[in-house]
Amino acid sequence: MDKQKSIDAQLVGGSRGTGFTASQIHYLTHQILKLTFHLESHSEDYPSQRGLRKLLGKRRRLLIYLSDENTALYTKVVKNLGIRGLKGR
């Protein structure tokens, strides 16, 4: 839980819960990176590929929500995590 609090402090400069959208996006991004690294050496691990697609979809939905609710925080999160923004947003 302490790790999650430090993530929130980095993203928004304050203490928020784990339900905060930006912290969920941050956590999902790190899970995606771990799975991507795993799939580089285990390319035929199809259940992990499915899990990766599910995580990517969840992160995309959260990014859409965040871009609609708080555009400034959305741009900050995308910039800090080094991920591409959504098309057309």
Side-chain angles (χ1 to χ4, degrees), residues 21 25 53-67 86:
T21 308
I25 292 170
R53 286 192 298 269
K54 288 178 70 103
L55 289 176
L56 287 169
K58 182 179 256 188
R59 184 178 72 178
R60 183 174 182 273
R61 287 190 302 273
L62 285 170
L63 283 169
I64 289 171
Y65 172 78
L66 188 61
S67 71
L86 300 168

Side-chain angles (χ1 to χ4, degrees), residues 6-38:
S6 68
I7 290 169
D8 294 335
Q10 290 174 2
L11 288 174
V12 294
S15 175
R16 299 274 184 129
T18 55
F20 187 52
T21 308
S23 62
Q24 289 181 26
I25 292 170
H26 190 273
Y27 177 73
L28 283 172
T29 300
H30 286 287
Q31 291 292 97
I32 289 168
L33 290 174
K34 284 176 22 181
L35 263 178
T36 303
F37 180 73
H38 167 77

Side-chain angles (χ1 to χ4, degrees), residues 1 15 29 32-33 36 40-41 48-49 79 82 85-86 89:
M1 190 58 91
S15 175
T29 300
I32 289 168
L33 290 174
T36 303
E40 287 176 359
S41 58
S48 291
Q49 289 178 10
K79 182 180 174 186
L86 300 168
R89 290 189 186 255

